[in-house]
Each structure stands twice: as structure tokens, then as C-alpha cells.
Amino acid sequence: MKRSMQGFTLVEISVILLALGLILPGAIVLWQLSERQRVTTVQVDVQQQTRDALVGYLHSNYRLPCPAADTAGVESCTDGGDLRHVGFVPWRTLGLPRPEAGALRYGVYREPSATAHGDRDLASAVDRMNPLRVRTPSPKPQNKDAPNDKASPIPSVSTVQLGMTQSGNDAAPLNTACNASDSPPCPLGVARAVNLVDVCLALNTANDNLVAPTGRLAAKMLGTRRSVAFVLVAPGMLDADGDGKAFDGANASATSADPTFEAPGMAATSAYDDSVVAPSHAELFGELHCGAALSAISHAHFNAATGAFVMERALYDYRDQLFVAVKLAEANVAAAAAGFAGAAAGVLAGIKEGVSAAADTTMSAGARSAQIGFAAAAIVAAGLSVQASLAAVGLAGEALKEAIETHSDFATRTTAMTELAISINNNTLKADAIGY
């Protein structure tokens, strides 16, 4: 009996190879998709944690960190002799316990300026708050009986920085060295002068540029460089475009000289598999609730203070007009008194004429008796004048009393208006100290 053959025949091997040829490509594709999904999930998680860490750093330091020069994760704010716009995530500086975050590319919007209010460098803590404000009077105007020797000054605006409004004491946040009447109202400095208000101002002005200026951070959206606050780029699983770099397209070529990245949400293709997070200035502005803060601190408070100050000036001007009214009333009293004296003199003159007429009548044996009648009429007229002048004195006295009372009452109200203007300005300084 022949021994039975063991092993696979060529036909069987061919069938197995054919089956493997049909199964393996699909398995490889499934593995790639699964692995790509796993890598993407990890990278998205790292990106989100890094984004949260960046916003947290912004809240704590009132700036974003500079990019790191390498994956070691320590921020480096200069690149040679220039500012560093693009690099890697500074995960050590952020205190982020994810070393893999160091593999992410990171860019931050940087646009310094010689003037604080024009500075848009999000990686620098700058005191940018210099609102239009009217300085309150110092010393405070005094209400006296004479025209005000310390009248409220004519309103004039001041656009200097508010200065170091913060005291460092949460129980009493306003720096005691601040004075709303000074220009600047608080000592200049940086340590206790910068807060989220200054960040909001930078985001607000940077948002004016829809098309990113040359040399400033941007993402390519519909063929246009759009300004963004910061960029985080994860490289994906593959070198999709095959250029030998982990990142694809503009994400690989972005530099501090040309900080341009691909758009966030760009679909993956055979030549691109990066993931980009790039919040705009407007997006970050809304996330920090900057709108309400700037409306109140930059505009509403100072508009109210300006209105109070202008009203105070008007009240003091009217107070001085009331003082003039008092003096006119005093003059009317004096004039009425003079009228009374004149009427009394008229009575005496009438009596004198009556006596003289009687004498003339006696001497002329009655020929000049008519003079007695005229003299009597003059006495009556003078008596009526005395009564009228007495009434005028009374009315003038009442007018003087009322004018003095009105002036005194109004003087008290103008003092209250000064206190209100100063209080509103101090509230503004306190709001800046708190950082809203």
C-alpha cells in the first residue's frame, strides 16, 4: 500500500494565497482606519487640553505664552533678533503634564506697538487701558458767599493710561495711591496694572484686520490669510504629502517670518491629514466675555463720569448766576430804601411849602392863599409816595431773602454733584483693578 501524501497541494496553496490576497488588503485598510482614528482621538484630546491650558494661562498671566523653540516645551519669545511667532507648544511653561503636546506646532498673534493702546502682542502683558476720561476737580470747588474762587474747571479729556489700579489686596482691590483727579490717575507700572481688560483691548483692536497683516499669524481660509489669535496643529498619523515632514502643506512651512497655517476643519485627503485648532480674535473675545466688560469699563463708566462733571460745571455756573441775583436783590432793597427816604423828604418839603404858603398869605392879606392848597396837595402826594416806597422796601426784602435761600440750597447741590463725579471715576478705577 502506498503511503498517503501529506501537506498542501499546489491548488490548495493557491486557494489560500488567493483568500489571503482578498482578505489582507481589507484588513490593512481597516487597521489603518482604526489606527488613524486612535491617533486622531489622542491628538484631538491633546489639542483640547492644550487649548484649555492656553486659555487658563491667559487668565493667570494676562498673555499667551510664547512658542517653544523645540519639543522640550519651554517658551522662547525671541527667534534670533526677532519675535518668535511660530514654534512648538511650551508644555513645560504651561504646566501641562502631557509631553506629547510638545509635538504640536503652536503659533501666537504678535503685533507690538510703540503706543500701549495700539499694542496687539498677545504674548506680552501690556497695560493698554487709556480711555477718554474727564479728570475730576482737585481741590474740590468750594461754595462761598462770593463768586467761587475754586470753580469747577472747564472739562478737558485725558487719554493717558490708568496705571497700576490694583492694590494686590482682594479685600480692598483699588490702589490707595490712585486719585481720579490725577493724570494718570494711578502710578504707572506693569506689575499691578495689567489684567483681562488689557487682553480684551488687544483682541478688540486686532479683530479690526479681517485680512491678516504681513508677518502676522494667520490661517488660510478660502484663499485669504485670516487673522487668528493662536494656532495648534497636530501632525496626523502619516506624512500624507510625502515631503519627509510630519506636518503637511502650510503647517510644515510656517515660520516666524511667514506665520501662515492651513485652515481649521480642513478635510483629510491623500495628501493632508493634519488637525488644526485656530480660534479667531473675535472667538476668544467672546469666550472671555470681553464685550460687556469693555462696554462698562471703557465707555459707560467714563461717559457717566463725564456727564456728571459737565453737569457739575453747569451747576456751579448757575450757582454764580444766583449769587448775581442775590446782589441784584440787595441793590433793589437799597433802591427801595432810597425811594422811601426820597418820599419822606417830599413830605418834609410839602410841610415846608405849607408853612411858607401860610406866611405868604398872611403877608399878602390873602392874595396868595392858593399856595396853601398846592402845598397841601404836595403833602398828600408825598405821603402816598412814602406808603409806596415802604411797600417796595418790603417786597425787595422778601426777594433778597428768597434769593439767599435759593443760592444756599443750590450751593449744597453743586457740592453733591462734585462728589458724584469723583465717585464715578473711582468706581471705574476699581473696576479696572478688579479686571471685571
Side-chain angles (χ1 to χ4, degrees), residues 12-23:
E12 290 174 328
I13 293 175
S14 298
V15 171
I16 292 172
L17 290 177
L18 178 61
L20 289 175
L22 294 174
I23 294 172

Side-chain angles (χ1 to χ4, degrees), residues 190-369:
V190 176
R192 298 196 311 277
V194 182
N195 51 45
L196 280 178
V197 173
D198 301 292
V199 177
C200 288
L201 288 168
L203 292 171
N204 187 46
T205 55
N207 193 52
D208 293 340
N209 296 320
L210 183 60
V211 178
T214 301
R216 309 304 175 194
L217 187 69
K220 295 193 299 184
M221 301 180 190
L222 300 177
T224 304
R225 296 180 70 255
R226 304 293 189 186
S227 295
V228 291
F230 64 85
V231 170
L232 289 171
V233 185
M237 186 180 73
L238 304 173
D239 173 20
D241 60 2
D243 64 352
K245 300 178 181 178
F247 296 92
D248 302 323
N251 300 329
S253 59
T255 64
S256 293
D258 182 16
T260 305
F261 290 85
E262 299 292 350
M266 186 173 173
T269 66
S270 59
Y272 182 86
D273 67 346
D274 292 351
S275 173
V276 178
V277 171
S280 67
H281 294 89
E283 181 180 343
L284 200 55
F285 186 91
E287 186 174 339
L288 297 176
H289 306 289
C290 291
L294 291 188
S295 293
I297 299 174
S298 291
H299 304 291
H301 282 308
F302 286 112
N303 288 345
T306 301
F309 186 78
V310 172
M311 178 62 73
E312 179 224 18
R313 174 74 191 192
L315 290 178
Y316 272 99
D317 288 343
Y318 187 60
R319 189 208 72 99
D320 287 341
Q321 293 179 33
L322 291 176
F323 179 79
V324 173
V326 170
K327 293 304 178 183
L328 288 175
E330 291 175 349
N332 287 337
V333 170
F340 174 77
V347 171
L348 294 176
I351 293 173
K352 173 180 173 294
E353 288 298 324
V355 172
S356 178
D360 287 347
T361 299
T362 302
M363 294 296 295
S364 64
R368 302 182 64 181
S369 60

Side-chain angles (χ1 to χ4, degrees), residues 92-129:
R92 292 184 187 276
T93 301
L94 289 171
L96 184 64
R98 297 288 297 266
E100 61 268 34
L104 305 182
R105 295 212 76 188
Y106 166 62
V108 61
Y109 191 92
R110 310 201 65 180
E111 188 178 356
S113 172
T115 57
H117 67 276
D119 186 276
R120 300 166 180 172
D121 186 354
L122 297 184
S124 295
V126 177
D127 181 15
R128 301 178 176 94
M129 187 68 165

